[in-house]
Amino acid sequence: MQTIHNYDFSGKKALIRVDFNVPLDEHQNITDDSRIRAVLPTLQYILDHRGRLVIMSHMGRPKGKRVEELSLAPVAKRLERLLEQEVTMASDCIGKETQDKVNSMEEGQLILLENLRFHPEEEKNDHEFARQLAAMGDVYINDAFAVSHRAHASVDAIVDNFSEKAAGFLLLKELKYF
């Protein structure tokens, strides 16, 4: 199994699948950020090794439609506070505007893509959707143990688009790899 230790992230875009499906209260405040904190070592490792970090996740079950209450915007704010650096929030997870934002990133910067499940293709494991997601990165990192069993585009179909793919620290810990 490849791990993030196997890669030189300098100048590369690391597309990482995480599980930021965190609980929110009625005011869109995160009530438990343990899922965010769990992947911080992986995120920090990539940033420390001069990578460009592109983060993708889902939140809730919006059934393939944009539901503002399930936006990852509150996660971006919490992540910004925890990492003590700016987090760019993309308005979508695919498309020209998102791709342009990703392409303009510099080493050590990060962007959080909007909720994957706003697109029905995510849960359908659509290969074209996976190809569009894959265009956001040079290396694919899975650090989303809780969803790794799902045949969703960001977990399953996407890996066919990468020669460089690896497990992050959280996934390795869950698999008791180290």
Side-chain angles (χ1 to χ4, degrees):
M1 175 184 310
Q2 295 291 332
T3 72
I4 65 173
H5 294 295
N6 297 102
Y7 297 103
D8 174 13
F9 290 101
S10 181
K12 290 186 180 176
K13 294 175 288 190
L15 180 63
I16 181 169
R17 177 55 159 107
V18 298
D19 181 11
F20 286 165
N21 188 22
V22 296
L24 302 172
D25 67 16
E26 64 276 3
H27 304 291
Q28 299 304 108
N29 296 311
I30 297 171
T31 59
D32 179 359
D33 67 0
S34 57
R35 288 185 178 190
I36 300 170
R37 290 177 183 274
V39 298
L40 290 178
T42 300
L43 303 181
Q44 196 62 60
Y45 181 88
I46 294 167
L47 293 171
D48 289 348
H49 288 85
R50 300 174 47 205
R52 299 170 184 171
L53 190 54
V54 183
I55 306 169
M56 56 182 175
S57 181
H58 76 282
M59 182 176 296
R61 292 188 167 94
K63 298 186 168 114
K65 294 184 169 78
R66 187 171 193 89
V67 177
E68 289 309 314
E69 295 80 26
L70 296 176
S71 171
L72 289 168
V75 173
K77 290 178 187 168
R78 181 64 58 92
L79 196 56
E80 197 166 77
R81 199 168 77 226
L82 291 170
L83 289 172
E84 298 179 345
Q85 80 172 73
E86 182 181 349
V87 173
T88 300
M89 179 71 202
S91 61
D92 201 349
C93 58
I94 58 171
K96 183 178 179 349
E97 181 182 322
T98 301
Q99 188 69 61
D100 289 346
K101 280 185 179 184
V102 168
N103 290 341
S104 69
M105 293 172 63
E106 296 180 17
E107 290 180 359
Q109 290 186 321
L110 63 114
I111 186 168
L112 176 62
L113 304 181
E114 187 53 279
N115 192 338
L116 294 163
R117 289 188 183 169
F118 285 176
H119 293 267
E121 298 87 353
E122 164 65 359
E123 292 185 272
K124 291 178 182 174
N125 201 22
D126 183 86
H127 288 272
E128 175 57 25
F129 182 67
R131 187 195 61 73
Q132 291 176 58
L133 290 171
M136 305 292 169
D138 303 311
V139 178
Y140 174 76
I141 307 293
N142 185 342
D143 215 19
F145 180 75
V147 297
S148 290
H149 66 288
R150 298 193 184 279
H152 289 178
S154 65
V155 176
D156 184 33
I158 198 167
V159 297
D160 294 336
N161 296 282
F162 287 93
S163 59
E164 295 184 283
K165 48 197 169 224
F169 293 130
L170 177 62
L171 189 64
L172 294 171
K173 180 180 173 186
E174 292 288 346
L175 296 174
K176 298 180 181 11
Y177 191 77
F178 64 104

